[in-house]
Amino acid sequence: MFVVTPFEMRKIDQRAIEQFGIPGIVLMENAALKVVEVVDRVYRLKDRDRVVVLVGAGNNGGDGLAVARHLFLRGIDVEFFLLAREDVVLGDAKVNLDVVKKLGLSLSLVQDEDDILRLEQSLKSATLVIDAIFGTGLSRPVEGIFAQVIELVNRVAVPVVAIDIPSGINGADGHVMGIAIRASHTVTFGYPKRGHLLYPGRRYTGELHVVPIGLPLDSAQSIGVQAFTLDVNEAAGMLKERPAEGHKGTFGRVAVVAGSTGMTGAACLCAMAALRSGAGLVTLGIPASLNDILENKLTEVMTKPLPDNGTGCLQEEALGDILDLVRDADVLAIGPGLGKSGAVFEVLRNILGRTHISIVLDADGLNHISRDINLLKKHSGPVVITPHPGEMARLTGLTVAQIVQSPVEVAQKFSQQTGVVVLLKGATTVVCHPDGQIYLNTTGNSGMATAGSGDVLTGIIAGFIAQGYEPFDAAVLGAFVHGYAGGLAAEVHGQAGMIAGDILETVPLALKNMYNLLGKHCKSWSHGI
C-alpha cells in the first residue's frame, strides 16, 4: 500500500473535495464511523463503560467529536474535553461540536490547572481514551496545557485509541514533537503516514489500522506518491512463479566473494541465503587458505579458492579468478567478512570498472568503497548497497545520529546521487530507487540485531536478482522476506536468543507461506513502476 506524508494527504483530501465534490463533512463522518468500527472490534464496549474523548480545535478534533457522538448514541457514557476555546473551533469541526452540545454530551474545557485535575479524575474511571488533539499536520513542539494533558494520559493506565496519528508525533518523519501520546491502537485514514512507520513514531502508534473513508481509488497515484509498504499478501503478489520445467540455470547463478580469517561465517551465511531464497547455483569465492574450512561447512554451495598468499585475506592476485567467477554469474554478492585488506578496494575498483554484472555490495565492501563512491556511478550494471547506519555514515560523511534522524532523506539523496539502489537497514528498513521510489519495511524484530543477520539479507537479495527480479524489487522483497523469516524464527526461539542462522533456516518457510498465499488469493502488487 502507498505511504503518504501529511502534505500529500492534504492534497488527496483537497482533490476529493474540490475535484470530485465530496464534502469534507462526509469524509469526517466516514472517518468517525471507521474509528467506531475499530473500537467496537477491539474493545467491545458496554453500557457501563466510560470513554473520555480529548478534542483539539482542528479537523482531528472534529473527527473526535463525531466519534463521541456515535458512541453516545450507542449508549456509552462519553465525556469529551476540549483543549481550546469554543470560538476557535471552525468549519466541519464546529458542525460536529454544535451537534454534540445539542445532544447533551458532557463537555469540559481544559485551559488551566483546575481543568487538568478534573480531567485526571475522569481518566481514572475511564475504560478508554480517544485521542483527537492533533492530527498529522503538527509541525511545532507540544507545549503548555497540551503537554500537560499528554503527560497525564501517558501516566494514567487507560488504553488509548489515537485518531489518525498519536498527538505529538510528526506525521512526516515519526519524530516526537516534545511529548506524544502512547497509543494502544491508531486508526488512520486512506493511507498510512510515514510517521506511523518510522521510529519513534511507530512505537507510539501501537497497532495501526488503515481504514477507507471514501476517497477516490487513484488518489495516491494521481498526486505522484512514490513511497509504499507491503503486507504479506502484497509481498506474496510480487513473487515470480517457478515453472515446473525449470532447471538450475532457470533460477539463476550467484557468485559470492566473501570471508577472511575469523569471518568465514559471514561468507557461509550469505552464500546459503542465496540458495535458500531460490537461486539455482551459488559459487563462493573464498581466500584459498580457507577453502578447506568452507568445503567442510558447505555442502550445496560450490567454492572457488582465490589466491591469498597464505594470508586468509583477499589479494589483488585474485582479480583474474574473480573476473572468471562472475563471467558466468547473473549477480555478484561481495563484501561480507572480507576484512580490512587494501586489496579489497583494488578488486572492487576493477570489478566495477570492467564488468556489467548486477552487484549487491555489503559490509566490508561498503567500507572500502567509501574511499571513492564515484566508482558506484561508473558501474554499467545495477548496484544494490545494503548499509547499516554506521556504514552509511562512512559513505556519506554524515554522523550516525544524522542518519538515524532522517533515514529516508539520507538514503534517497545517496541513491539519486550515485544511481544505485540503497537499502538502509534499521528497525524500519528503507529502500530507495534512483527514480525516487521509497519502500518502508516493517517486518522483523529486535532479535535480528545480531551478528550475521545482514549477511543473510545480502544473500537473499542476490538470490532474487539471480531469479530475474529487478534489483529494486529484489531489495524490497528481500527486506520483507528477511524480516518475515525473522518473525518466524522469533516464534520458535524468542527474540533474545535468536542468531542469524535461525533467520537463515526460516527463509524457506517464509517463502512457502508466501507462495501458498499467492496460490490462494493474491494478485500481483504494483507500486507505481
Side-chain angles (χ1 to χ4, degrees), residues 417-464:
Q417 284 179 339
T418 60
V420 305
V421 174
V422 176
L423 184 152
L424 179 55
K425 291 179 281 200
T428 299
T429 287
V430 177
V431 185
C432 292
H433 190 285
D435 71 3
Q437 291 179 85
I438 301 165
Y439 170 65
L440 302 177
N441 185 67
T442 59
T443 59
N445 56 74
S446 66
M448 300 178 71
T450 183
S453 177
D455 305 319
V456 174
L457 174 61
T458 298
I460 293 172
I461 296 170
F464 284 139

Side-chain angles (χ1 to χ4, degrees), residues 50-103:
R50 288 192 67 254
V51 176
V52 171
V53 184
L54 303 174
V55 176
N59 282 338
N60 192 251
D63 295 335
L65 290 165
V67 169
R69 166 166 48 87
H70 283 291
L71 293 175
F72 176 78
L73 293 175
R74 296 182 181 205
I76 304 300
D77 182 7
V78 179
E79 182 175 11
F80 75 93
F81 289 79
L82 179 61
L83 279 69
R85 301 191 318 272
E86 289 189 48
D87 62 326
V88 301
V89 180
L90 305 173
D92 296 332
K94 186 179 187 307
V95 172
N96 275 299
L97 177 60
D98 291 342
V99 171
V100 296
K101 287 173 64 180
K102 290 175 182 177
L103 285 172

Side-chain angles (χ1 to χ4, degrees), residues 197-510:
L197 306 184
L198 296 168
Y199 281 91
R202 185 170 158 193
R203 183 168 61 249
Y204 283 75
T205 295
E207 184 176 345
L208 180 63
H209 306 261
V210 183
V211 298
I213 58 170
L215 296 167
L217 294 177
D218 66 342
S219 292
Q221 298 96 317
S222 71
I223 66 163
V225 175
Q226 290 190 290
F228 66 100
T229 190
L230 298 173
D231 63 23
V232 68
N233 292 323
E234 292 166 335
M238 291 181 66
L239 291 172
K240 292 178 176 291
E241 292 186 14
R242 290 176 65 87
E245 71 276 18
H247 51 80
K248 293 190 293 290
T250 305
F251 303 116
R253 294 172 168 85
V254 179
V256 179
V257 175
S260 60
T261 299
M263 291 186 283
T264 56
C268 292
L269 289 166
C270 181
M272 282 302 300
L275 274 180
R276 287 295 195 181
S277 60
L281 292 161
V282 177
T283 304
L284 170 62
I286 188 78
S289 58
L290 305 176
N291 189 68
D292 289 349
I293 298 172
L294 274 299
E295 288 275 17
N296 188 53
K297 288 176 68 71
L298 298 170
T299 302
E300 295 86 359
V301 173
M302 296 177 287
T303 64
K304 182 176 180 63
L306 302 175
D308 67 349
N309 298 324
T311 64
C313 299
L314 200 63
Q315 300 295 304
E316 289 185 44
E317 292 85 345
L319 178 60
D321 294 85
I322 294 173
L323 292 174
D324 288 340
L325 175 64
V326 302
R327 190 168 290 117
D328 295 325
D330 299 297
V331 59
L332 168 66
I334 183 167
L338 281 179
K340 299 179 180 180
S341 168
V344 177
F345 176 76
E346 292 303 318
V347 168
L348 282 170
R349 184 172 63 83
N350 282 278
I351 291 174
L352 289 167
R354 295 171 59 181
T355 72
H356 308 286
I357 193 169
S358 296
I359 294 177
V360 184
L361 188 60
D362 185 30
D364 289 319
L366 294 172
N367 293 332
H368 284 281
I369 209 66
S370 64
R371 291 172 52 185
D372 185 3
I373 62 171
N374 288 320
L375 291 171
L376 295 172
K377 303 177 187 178
K378 295 177 180 177
H379 188 60
S380 59
V383 178
V384 178
I385 65 171
T386 60
H388 58 56
E391 291 159 347
M392 198 71 191
R394 287 185 279 277
L395 289 167
T396 60
L398 300 173
T399 66
V400 171
Q402 288 173 315
I403 291 164
V404 172
Q405 184 81 355
S406 304
V408 174
E409 293 76 10
V410 170
Q412 188 174 40
K413 181 178 180 180
F414 193 84
S415 177
Q416 292 172 341
Q417 284 179 339
T418 60
V420 305
V421 174
V422 176
L423 184 152
L424 179 55
K425 291 179 281 200
T428 299
T429 287
V430 177
V431 185
C432 292
H433 190 285
D435 71 3
Q437 291 179 85
I438 301 165
Y439 170 65
L440 302 177
N441 185 67
T442 59
T443 59
N445 56 74
S446 66
M448 300 178 71
T450 183
S453 177
D455 305 319
V456 174
L457 174 61
T458 298
I460 293 172
I461 296 170
F464 284 139
I465 293 175
Q467 294 170 74
Y469 292 84
E470 290 298 316
F472 179 70
D473 288 348
V476 168
L477 196 54
F480 184 93
V481 170
H482 184 244
Y484 184 29
L488 296 173
E491 292 177 6
V492 177
H493 303 284
Q495 295 182 25
M498 278 174 56
I499 59 174
D502 299 327
I503 305 169
L504 174 63
E505 292 306 314
T506 50
V507 168
L509 179 58

